[in-house]
Amino acid sequence: MKKILLALMMTALLGCQDDVSQAPHTAKAPQADVNKIKAHITFLADDLLEGRDTGSHGHEIASLYIASQFAQLDLKPAGDDGNYMQRASFRQAFLEQESPKLVLKTAEGEQSLDYPKEYLTGASTVYEYAAVSGQLVFAGYGIVAPELQHDDYANIDVKGKVVVVLSGKPKSFPSEEGAHFASRSEKNRHAVEQGAIGMITISTPLAEKVRPYQNLLSYIHTPSVRWLDKEGNPSNVYPQLKDSAYFSQEAAAKLFANAPMSLEQIYAELEEDKSPAGFDLPVSIDMSKTSTHNLISSPNVAAVLPGSDPDLKNEFVVYSAHSDHIGISKSVAKDKINNGAMDNATGTSMLIETARMMSEGPAPKRSVLFLAVTGEEKGLLGADYFAHNPTVPIQNIVADVNLDMPVLTYEFSDIIAFGANHSDLQQTVSEAAQKAGLTLSPDPMPEQAIFTRSDHYAFVKQGVPSVFVVPGWTSTDPNVDGGKIFTQFLHTNYHKPSDDMNQEFNWKAAKKFAEVNLQIGTTIANQAERPKWNDGDFFGKTFGIKN
């Protein structure tokens, strides 16, 4: 009897096993661990790290911590020479504050301008002693944008001269495309292509509203930093431009005193969204300054989770987050350490936790590269260095998901993916958000052109479709205004010592944000086709399509 019962039980058990093997199996997504997230943020935002400034001892500690976390997850090193670190050299330039000299020469005589009261200039990363002399030529905004039928250099000659340009861009320009055309690098490039040897940028009424000249005085001691190529040359600079300066409105008016148009008339045209045509100014200039140069180094940290598909494993989805912050303030305040808890210990911690969850779940089809970059606060330098010196083939990188300053102080019900509207990543991210019980909301502040202002943009400029993901502004609590909380953070804690662990973190939000980022990366890594720019998209056309 016992043998019969045992046989019947075994038969039933085997039958159940057959049923189970034939039933569809859906692996449950790994869950985020709030304690781990909190531990990462607490360490990275500790006073011990002294604000994680690029090239500092504190940032070295942060980088070693991140590398150790990747090693614990058994991720493959993706830095230099089989290491997790990709070390970059940087030139750090400080302006000698007593050195700037600037003289305007007109038919009436010479007039010296007062630094920094009337004009500002930054340290040169090219020349320890920079000097330029030449005739001034007004060139509108200094923008060449054939896509928008705009050319400020039409019908003027700036060869061998110092060009004078308005800050910003025409109001009618699309926000994100306009941010590209109005960038310093683009204006410098076009000035050099036209033969200019120096550049003066003048403030405008709009610039005064956004960043008043007086506020800029707080940054005169900030060094200029550029990564160096293998020959020791600073990146993204134009040595042909010997010197440059930024004029206050009062100083700028002196340039147009006897010109075809006064500064007031130019400003009046700007109010009507007209672009003033260029013309020669009856002024020449002599200006010079002295800078001191230091050589520093700072690492990116990179690791790869290999893909499972024989073919797709050679393609890479990148998660990026900057690990640096702005260091120690020069102030008389008792607390001088800018801990950077939200900016960007949170994003870096999300990077680590996403790596943990993904490594403990089913292997994705494509490989996933986790990249903690340095130098974001100095101009997206670490990401730009990696994009120009990738440790995996750049053409094999299919997308970048960037994590920068997720403000985790309220529980959100949506996410924002800056730049998603430029590629089919919009559909991908929307589907991933739905899997996490969230919705994808449009950019709530398109006028800020956030898409061009964080580390993912270095990948965009290499033709890689990218998104910058943050918690949305819709709270699960109808009495909480997420947009208002974000704005309060910017006004109260952003780039201040108060961005520390004394803020009221919402750990449910941290868990939710980590899990939606897992869904986004997993969805991209497993989809059949690599992401594509939208047909006719400006950024896809401008920077080349790698897919």
Side-chain angles (χ1 to χ4, degrees), residues 312-393:
L312 295 181
K313 69 180 181 180
N314 296 315
E315 296 182 347
F316 297 83
V317 178
V318 175
Y319 279 98
S320 58
H322 75 89
S323 53
D324 66 304
H325 195 52
I326 61 172
I328 300 175
S329 298
K330 291 181 171 64
S331 72
V332 296
K334 184 177 180 180
D335 184 2
K336 300 180 183 180
I337 298 176
N338 296 285
N339 302 85
M342 296 291 180
D343 184 19
N344 186 36
T346 52
T348 306
S349 299
M350 292 297 153
L351 180 81
I352 297 170
E353 180 63 1
T354 303
R356 182 194 67 80
M357 289 189 290
M358 194 170 284
S359 66
E360 294 179 359
K365 293 181 180 180
R366 289 183 175 85
S367 297
V368 180
L369 191 151
F370 299 93
L371 180 65
V373 295
T374 186
E376 189 272 350
E377 301 290 1
K378 300 296 187 289
L380 317 184
L381 298 185
D384 190 62
Y385 180 83
F386 183 90
H388 283 85
N389 301 274
T391 57
V392 299

Side-chain angles (χ1 to χ4, degrees), residues 1 8 57 86 130 154 168 174 195 202 238 309 380 385 462 474 494:
M1 185 68 179
L8 290 172
H57 183 66
Q86 182 195 39
I202 59 178
Y238 293 91
D309 185 270
L380 317 184
Y385 180 83
Q462 297 300 315
T474 304
Y494 175 67

Side-chain angles (χ1 to χ4, degrees), residues 120-131:
L120 298 171
T121 187
S124 171
T125 56
V126 179
Y127 304 107
E128 290 183 294
Y129 177 72

Side-chain angles (χ1 to χ4, degrees), residues 387-436:
H388 283 85
N389 301 274
T391 57
V392 299
I394 192 68
Q395 67 271 18
N396 289 1
I397 296 177
V398 305
D400 176 51
V401 179
N402 188 47
L403 309 173
D404 186 1
M405 205 172 79
V407 176
L408 304 174
T409 55
Y410 61 94
E411 190 173 356
F412 54 93
S413 61
D414 65 332
I415 60 169
I416 298 163
F418 298 108
N421 56 304
H422 294 288
S423 69
D424 60 11
L425 283 174
Q426 180 155 343
Q427 181 63 31
T428 301
V429 175
S430 180
E431 292 174 0
Q434 290 176 13
K435 292 176 186 176

